[in-house]
Amino acid sequence: MKKLLLKLKLIDFLQTELEIPQSTFANRLKETVDERNSSFLDMFFSSKKEYRGYVNSDGFKIKPKRKFFDSNISMAQASGVFIQKDKLLFINTEINGFNNLMIPYYIFCIIIYTSIKGYHE
């Protein structure tokens, strides 16, 4: 499944290098992440933080918070690990734009498409 998602460019990888200590970067990233578990109710909480997920000293897993009346619903999720080598911090990130909750929707679309196509033949 992952190979198909890579081919469709729904998964991508990113490596970033920064000259910053790992703990400093993790703390700064943590300031922008709301560690609440709710996903649907995000729009009703008045937190100024733009992302939801978790950040610890080894890595992170975040996604954008939903906002009230926002039509741009992003299902992308970024997860990554921190690797400190001397003065450089390497951040290896995987960006996943596919959500397993969409599988029933795709199956439904395929069934409708094949039934309409079969009806017209």
Side-chain angles (χ1 to χ4, degrees), residues 22-102:
Q22 182 173 340
S23 59
T24 304
F25 180 79
N27 289 335
R28 287 184 186 173
L29 183 60
K30 194 176 246 187
E31 290 173 1
T32 65
V33 176
D34 193 359
E35 295 191 3
R36 221 182 276 124
N37 285 334
S38 67
S39 61
F40 177 71
L41 301 174
D42 282 344
M43 61 187 82
F44 298 112
F45 294 108
S46 63
S47 173
K48 300 285 183 195
K49 298 179 179 180
E50 293 189 31
Y51 301 98
R52 183 175 60 84
Y54 74 88
V55 179
N56 59 31
S57 60
D58 299 325
F60 62 92
K61 190 171 191 176
I62 60 174
K63 62 178 161 181
K65 283 177 59 175
R66 294 183 183 188
K67 296 180 177 93
F68 205 57
F69 293 120
D70 187 8
S71 62
N72 185 16
I73 298 174
S74 174
M75 293 188 185
Q77 180 173 340
S79 57
V81 293
F82 305 132
I83 301 167
Q84 184 79 48
K85 291 184 181 175
D86 297 325
K87 291 183 178 182
L88 289 176
L89 173 65
F90 293 93
I91 306 165
N92 296 328
T93 308
E94 176 183 321
I95 303 169
N96 187 345
F98 182 75
N99 190 340
N100 289 337
L101 295 176
M102 293 299 291

Side-chain angles (χ1 to χ4, degrees), residues 13-24:
F13 296 94
L14 174 71
Q15 184 177 40
T16 309
E17 332 179 347
L18 300 171
E19 288 188 31
I20 188 170
Q22 182 173 340
S23 59
T24 304

